[in-house]
């Protein structure tokens, strides 16, 4: 999962292993408030909640459990012991509630679904419903795919069966279909000079210092590409980080503006002390597109899942 900071992912993994925020903080040698702050920042980036409640015994949400499972694909540890051992200790009640399922390859068809974490957050309930109605299908989530080139490589290699990805239109090398668009918007602290204006022009943006995600971040790359295509220039970055808590803090201090789309933009707009700029003309939108393996492998179950999620 390339988007969130490695520190936040490490804290999430430790929360899964520890089972409580107090034990997690003790094991990491940090305060409980620091753990809570990093988890809140991670949830803001992902666009969905990871835990039902951080007080007492931490219980993973269904989306949090899927995220933990997906993280095992990136771990150098033994994925089976990590996900089936520590993850079940953290949410033993939730694990026990799951009905017994066939566990052999002959009995269950495996489907690998790739999607950026915020996109997964949009259809997590539909995915859970599909799994509940199709006990002979095992769905593995891959949260490492964000852009068209990454999706094309994974589909061509047969590593994933269905891929959702961010794009600015259909790529010639990757047949796909349009799902929906997510508008890019700019956010600033309530006391920022541009936040007080009724209209902000492109010339204003060209001299406005920016807060940005780190250059390798796929969300940063798609935003930069979208703005460049429209000839929209912004000021130089005063901060480049994938830590949303730092971005929120500096936004509220009025030190710069921040571009976002999708669930992240939605949640930023709900935070106190931060508001969306009233732009003279709208910024470009980012498309979410769906593609499937071209070789036809996977059969009717893959087709059924792709259509079910697309509705």
């Amino acid at each position: 999962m390339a988007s969130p900071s490695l520190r936040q992912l490490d804290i999430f993994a430790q929360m899964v292993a520890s089972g409580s925020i107090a034990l997690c903080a003790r094991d990491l040698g940090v305060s409980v408030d620091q753990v809570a702050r990093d988890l809140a920042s991670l949830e803001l980036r992902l666009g969905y909640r990871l835990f039902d409640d951080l007080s007492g015994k931490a219980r993973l949400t269904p989306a949090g459990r899927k995220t933990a499972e997906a993280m095992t694909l990136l771990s150098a540890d033994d994925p089976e012991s990590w996900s089936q051992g520590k993850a079940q200790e953290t949410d033993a009640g939730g694990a026990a509630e799951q009905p017994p399922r066939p566990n052999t390859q002959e009995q269950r068809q495996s489907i690998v679904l790739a999607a950026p974490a915020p996109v997964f957050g949009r259809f997590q309930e539909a995915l859970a419903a599909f799994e509940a109605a199709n006990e002979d299908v095992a769905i593995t989530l891959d949260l490492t795919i964000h852009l068209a080139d990454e999706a094309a490589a994974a589909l061509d290699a047969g590593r994933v069966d269905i891929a959702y990805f961010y794009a600015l239109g259909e790529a010639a090398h990757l047949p796909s279909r349009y799902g929906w668009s997510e508008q890019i918007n700019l956010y600033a602290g309530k006391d920022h000079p541009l936040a007080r204006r009724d209209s902000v022009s492109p010339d204003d943006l060209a001299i406005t210092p920016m807060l940005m995600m780190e250059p390798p971040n796929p969300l940063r790359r798609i935003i930069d590409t979208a703005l460049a295509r429209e000839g929209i220039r912004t000021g130089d970055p005063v901060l480049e980080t994938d830590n949303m808590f730092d971005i929120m803090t500096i936004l509220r201090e009025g030190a710069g503006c921040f571009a976002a789309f999708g669930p992240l933009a939605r949640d930023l707009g709900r935070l106190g002390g931060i508001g969306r700029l009233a732009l003279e003309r709208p910024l470009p939108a980012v498309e979410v597109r769906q593609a499937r393996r071209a070789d036809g492998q996977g059969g009717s179950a893959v087709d059924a899942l792709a259509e079910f999620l697309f509705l």
Side-chain angles (χ1 to χ4, degrees):
M1 207 184 322
S3 302
S5 71
L6 292 177
R7 171 181 171 78
Q8 291 167 358
L9 292 178
D10 287 342
I11 288 178
F12 172 56
Q14 188 60 47
M15 270 292 295
V16 173
S18 301
S20 80
I21 192 169
L23 290 176
C24 178
R26 183 202 66 185
D27 293 342
L28 292 173
V30 299
S31 69
V32 169
D33 287 344
Q34 180 64 55
V35 173
R37 189 161 56 242
D38 277 319
L39 287 175
S41 178
L42 178 59
E43 289 178 336
L44 182 63
R45 289 292 309 281
L46 299 180
Y48 53 83
R49 293 188 60 81
L50 295 167
F51 295 93
D52 283 322
D53 188 0
L54 288 180
S55 62
K57 187 179 179 67
R59 289 179 56 88
L60 286 164
T61 64
R65 189 178 300 113
K66 274 290 185 184
T67 303
E69 292 170 358
M71 283 180 61
T72 65
L73 299 175
L74 308 178
S75 174
D77 299 330
D78 177 10
E80 185 172 351
S81 64
W82 191 87
S83 63
Q84 295 185 4
K86 295 179 181 177
Q88 288 187 8
E89 290 173 12
T90 300
D91 193 8
E97 293 169 3
Q98 298 298 318
R101 292 175 179 265
N103 56 16
T104 66
Q105 186 63 33
E106 291 75 20
Q107 291 174 301
R108 302 188 71 192
Q109 179 178 349
S110 177
I111 299 177
V112 180
L113 170 67
V119 174
F120 160 64
R122 180 180 174 119
F123 56 60
Q124 57 179 286
E125 293 182 1
L127 184 62
F130 186 90
E131 287 186 297
N134 297 272
E135 295 189 356
D136 59 335
V137 175
I139 301 173
T140 300
L141 191 64
D142 184 334
L143 300 177
T144 65
I145 305 299
H146 293 80
L147 304 178
D149 288 347
E150 298 167 340
L155 290 165
D156 289 345
R159 185 161 60 86
V160 303
D161 299 294
I162 303 170
Y164 280 84
F165 57 93
Y166 296 127
L168 300 175
E170 184 172 8
H173 65 289
L174 179 60
S176 62
R177 57 179 175 171
Y178 171 83
W180 64 89
S181 292
E182 297 182 340
Q183 187 72 43
I184 299 174
N185 284 296
L186 282 180
Y187 295 85
K190 295 291 189 181
D191 294 328
H192 191 283
L194 295 186
R196 301 171 183 170
R197 294 193 182 182
D198 294 331
S199 179
V200 176
S201 71
D203 289 340
D204 294 326
L205 299 182
I207 59 173
T208 299
M210 297 291 293
L211 310 178
M212 297 180 177
M213 298 176 193
E214 296 176 10
N217 189 297
L219 302 185
R220 162 79 180 271
R221 288 155 54 197
I222 193 72
I223 289 173
D224 285 352
T225 302
L227 297 184
R229 283 193 182 185
E230 295 293 321
I232 298 171
R233 295 184 299 111
T234 60
D236 294 332
V238 294
L239 175 70
E240 294 178 303
T241 180
D242 287 345
N243 189 315
M244 281 307 304
F245 182 79
D246 291 343
I247 289 176
M248 287 186 296
T249 299
I250 296 178
L251 274 178
R252 287 183 172 128
E253 292 173 352
C257 297
F258 180 70
F261 64 90
L264 176 57
R266 174 201 66 200
D267 292 340
L268 278 175
R270 295 174 178 173
L271 294 175
I274 296 174
R276 180 169 59 88
L277 298 187
L279 300 176
E280 188 177 278
R281 63 185 177 98
L283 297 179
V286 174
E287 294 183 3
V288 177
R289 302 188 70 89
Q290 182 201 78
R292 285 180 262 183
R293 286 178 60 178
D295 57 14
Q297 295 295 316
S300 60
V302 169
D303 292 339
L305 177 58
E307 293 300 323
F308 187 79
L309 296 179
F310 199 79
L311 297 177

